[in-house]
């Protein structure tokens, strides 16, 4: 992995987009507040605020696949979102298989809740925790050029 620095990952959805940030030095990922997707599409101003605040060198978008490796129902929309991120912010966008990331994120949040580390789990928390899972996968080498 090259010396990249800050990275932002997105878990694309039609109602919300989960966001997580991390960096290649600590190799950690932390959920950020999810953004809403309205009738006009994603809240690009909210995404721009995240990009401006964090100064990432790379963006990552979860690529939805089915269990049989075929593209998921949101694959084309997620690809279009990735293209728009690249166009708007002039940053490279990597794609990482997001299969089961929401299930993994939900399980992690339930463990935290059971341990008394968090309160009620809302859907937007799961979305951003899923973005953190996607980012962790990238940090582990998935979706990276070898």
């Amino acid at each position: 992995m090259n010396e990249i620095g800050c990275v932002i990952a997105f878990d694309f959805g039609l109602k919300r987009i989960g966001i997580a940030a991390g960096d290649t030095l600590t190799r950690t990922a932390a959920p950020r507040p999810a953004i809403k997707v309205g009738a006009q599409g994603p809240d690009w101003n909210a995404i721009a605020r995240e990009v401006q605040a964090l100064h990432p060198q790379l963006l990552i978008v979860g690529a939805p696949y089915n269990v049989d490796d075929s593209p998921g129902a949101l694959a084309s929309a997620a690809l279009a979102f990735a293209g728009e991120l690249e166009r708007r912010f002039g940053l490279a966008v990597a794609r990482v298989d997001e299969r089961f990331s929401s299930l993994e994120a939900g399980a992690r949040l339930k463990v935290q809740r059971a341990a008394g580390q968090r309160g009620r789990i809302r859907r937007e928390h799961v979305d951003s925790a899923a973005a953190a899972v996607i980012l962790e996968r990238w940090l582990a080498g998935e979706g990276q050029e070898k």
Side-chain angles (χ1 to χ4, degrees):
M1 176 184 335
N2 295 335
E3 297 298 320
I4 290 180
C6 180
V7 181
I8 299 176
F10 299 90
D11 179 37
F12 178 80
L14 297 177
K15 294 182 181 180
R16 285 170 308 280
I17 297 173
I19 301 175
D23 67 70
T24 57
L25 178 63
T26 62
R27 302 181 64 76
T28 58
R32 305 278 296 176
I35 61 153
K36 294 196 181 291
V37 177
Q40 306 301 316
D43 182 347
W44 288 106
N45 290 329
I47 294 171
R49 285 190 296 275
E50 289 290 317
V51 170
Q52 290 164 356
L54 298 170
H55 305 288
Q57 283 74 51
L58 178 72
L59 305 176
I60 300 165
V61 174
Y65 288 99
N66 296 315
V67 177
D68 66 358
D69 290 334
S70 64
L74 293 181
S76 63
L79 184 59
F81 174 72
E84 188 63 15
L85 283 172
E86 189 170 11
R87 187 189 74 74
R88 285 178 183 254
F89 303 110
L91 295 167
V93 179
R95 298 182 69 229
V96 172
D97 188 343
E98 71 164 22
R99 227 175 318 204
F100 306 116
S101 61
S102 292
L103 291 174
E104 185 177 335
R108 287 182 186 183
L109 293 173
K110 287 177 185 174
V111 167
Q112 290 174 355
R113 181 166 167 76
Q117 297 172 340
R118 70 170 305 114
R120 182 173 172 246
I121 299 169
R122 297 196 326 237
R123 188 66 214 157
E124 57 267 23
H125 298 149
V126 175
D127 293 333
S128 287
V133 169
I134 292 164
L135 180 48
E136 289 168 356
R137 290 178 183 176
W138 182 85
L139 288 166
E142 292 183 35
Q144 295 185 35
E145 300 283 327
K146 300 278 190 240

